[in-house]
Amino acid sequence: MTTKYVFSGHESFPCKQLWLKKGFDYLVHGYNFNAPDAVVRLGVGKNMVSSIRFWMKAFAMTQNDKLTDLAYYLLDDESGVDPFMEDLGTLWLLHFMLVFSGEATIYNWLFLRIQKERKEFSRSQILTSVHRYMIEAERNKAFNENTVKKDIGVLLQNYVRPIHARSFEEYTSLLLDLDLIRSADEGKSYQFNLEGKFSIPLEIYVYALLKRKGEDQSLPFSSLQDLGLVFCLTDLESVAMLRRANDAYPEYLHYSDVAGVRQIQFTKTLSPKTILDKYYHHD
């Protein structure tokens, strides 16, 4: 199966704080993003309709324009645990889904590949890296510099607090409160926030572990390192989180570090939903 590379679809709009809820409510009432009256019903411009549709997919709230179980779990008015995304854990969860959904390539590459190469970067360095990765994948003909430049700009709007905001609108991007990427040198460069970031809740981290393992019963440390990079954890912080997970769920998983071989083994089935229930309902 050919890997797809997605650098467009957002119409140059970052995901706004209420867009996922807006998109959920629209779809749950049986409406369609392609409908002629979508602009009126959603109360946004035509390009924003396309953008909401894109972000719903990128954050794994939809698949083939159908709402996912996770979307219902989070956003449903009656049963949703955080319909207005007021809990910081929800933002961590959505960030994880964005990086691994496969619907927005640059997010995966920035956190998992570029971060391995450098902790501080400029827009041009991201562009160069993306171009190199496309060449390595033998997909150079699919690389469009202007498209990727726009994608980089939107990514930064999603994560980086504006330095000289011209309007309140610039503070409404969904993931800003995670404070994962910070601006440096008056916006000339950016850096991953490794030291001043908020702590990821243990249950959200364990949820991510379970989603990454799939049907496997173990995860090697290389996969655990990748997961750490998603949350901007150092190796020491990743190990600390794994030990916390081991202590909190000894029946279900076991972290080992024997002769320098680090891995986590899953000894009993633990469903991702159970972990989310524990976080949101504090059972």
Side-chain angles (χ1 to χ4, degrees):
M1 189 169 119
T2 304
T3 302
K4 65 177 180 179
Y5 300 97
V6 182
F7 301 102
S8 62
H10 43 63
E11 302 293 334
S12 297
F13 292 106
C15 186
K16 303 301 182 181
Q17 288 169 354
L18 296 179
W19 275 11
L20 299 185
K21 174 60 174 168
K22 186 185 286 284
F24 176 86
D25 290 346
Y26 180 75
L27 291 176
V28 86
H29 283 96
Y31 302 128
N32 187 299
F33 284 120
N34 290 320
D37 61 352
V39 169
V40 176
R41 290 191 182 278
L42 282 166
V44 297
K46 184 178 179 181
N47 288 351
M48 287 187 181
V49 171
S50 298
S51 188
I52 292 173
R53 183 183 190 181
F54 170 83
W55 291 119
M56 290 291 287
K57 181 167 60 172
F59 281 106
M61 296 294 99
T62 59
Q63 188 171 17
N64 299 320
D65 280 342
K66 303 295 183 184
L67 291 166
T68 61
D69 290 343
L70 182 60
Y72 280 102
Y73 183 86
L74 291 173
L75 304 175
D76 187 75
D77 277 338
E78 294 184 7
S79 61
V81 293
D82 191 15
F84 296 102
M85 293 162 285
E86 298 167 305
D87 191 307
L88 195 65
T90 301
L91 298 187
W92 280 114
L93 175 59
L94 290 171
H95 163 69
F96 166 75
M97 300 308 294
L98 176 62
V99 172
F100 281 113
S101 72
E103 300 294 343
T105 304
I106 201 166
Y107 294 82
N108 184 284
W109 284 359
L110 178 72
F111 284 94
L112 268 64
R113 299 184 69 172
I114 294 174
Q115 189 180 178
K116 284 182 182 177
E117 299 171 2
R118 57 179 74 248
K119 299 302 181 184
E120 187 167 323
F121 56 88
S122 65
R123 290 174 185 247
S124 62
Q125 285 171 330
I126 300 179
L127 183 68
T128 299
S129 293
V130 169
H131 194 191
R132 172 161 51 90
Y133 300 154
M134 292 294 281
I135 292 173
E136 291 170 356
E138 298 182 348
R139 294 293 299 278
N140 187 40
K141 290 182 179 179
F143 175 81
N144 182 292
E145 182 172 319
N146 288 332
T147 299
V148 175
K149 279 182 177 179
K150 290 176 183 177
D151 204 21
I152 293 168
V154 170
L155 180 150
L156 294 172
Q157 284 180 276
N158 273 323
Y159 287 99
V160 182
R161 292 186 178 278
I163 301 175
H164 305 295
R166 290 166 291 184
S167 69
F168 176 75
E169 183 73 14
E170 294 183 44
Y171 291 100
T172 61
S173 296
L174 178 62
L175 300 176
L176 287 186
D177 285 346
L178 287 180
D179 195 22
L180 280 179
I181 302 174
R182 291 181 172 179
S183 177
D185 301 328
E186 285 293 302
K188 294 178 183 177
S189 64
Y190 303 87
Q191 56 193 24
F192 294 101
N193 181 13
L194 301 181
E195 297 180 357
K197 62 181 178 294
F198 291 105
S199 297
I200 176 175
L202 177 62
E203 282 73 28
I204 302 300
Y205 179 81
V206 174
Y207 174 88
L209 275 178
L210 294 171
K211 295 298 285 186
R212 289 305 295 154
K213 86 174 187 65
E215 299 299 319
D216 296 332
Q217 297 308 309
S218 65
L219 276 176
F221 195 65
S222 58
S223 295
L224 299 175
Q225 283 180 306
D226 281 350
L227 194 59
L229 288 170
V230 174
F231 301 120
C232 291
L233 300 176
T234 64
D235 280 354
L236 287 176
E237 289 173 325
S238 287
V239 169
M241 287 295 288
L242 291 163
R243 287 177 173 157
R244 283 182 61 199
N246 188 113
D247 292 344
Y249 301 98
E251 294 179 64
Y252 300 97
L253 53 86
H254 175 67
Y255 172 69
S256 61
D257 183 356
V258 180
V261 179
R262 298 171 176 174
Q263 65 175 348
I264 194 161
Q265 293 182 320
F266 299 88
T267 54
K268 190 176 176 181
T269 300
L270 179 62
S271 76
K273 182 180 180 299
T274 298
I275 286 294
L276 291 184
D277 285 344
K278 183 173 178 59
Y279 175 71
Y280 285 105
H281 301 304
H282 307 290
D283 293 336

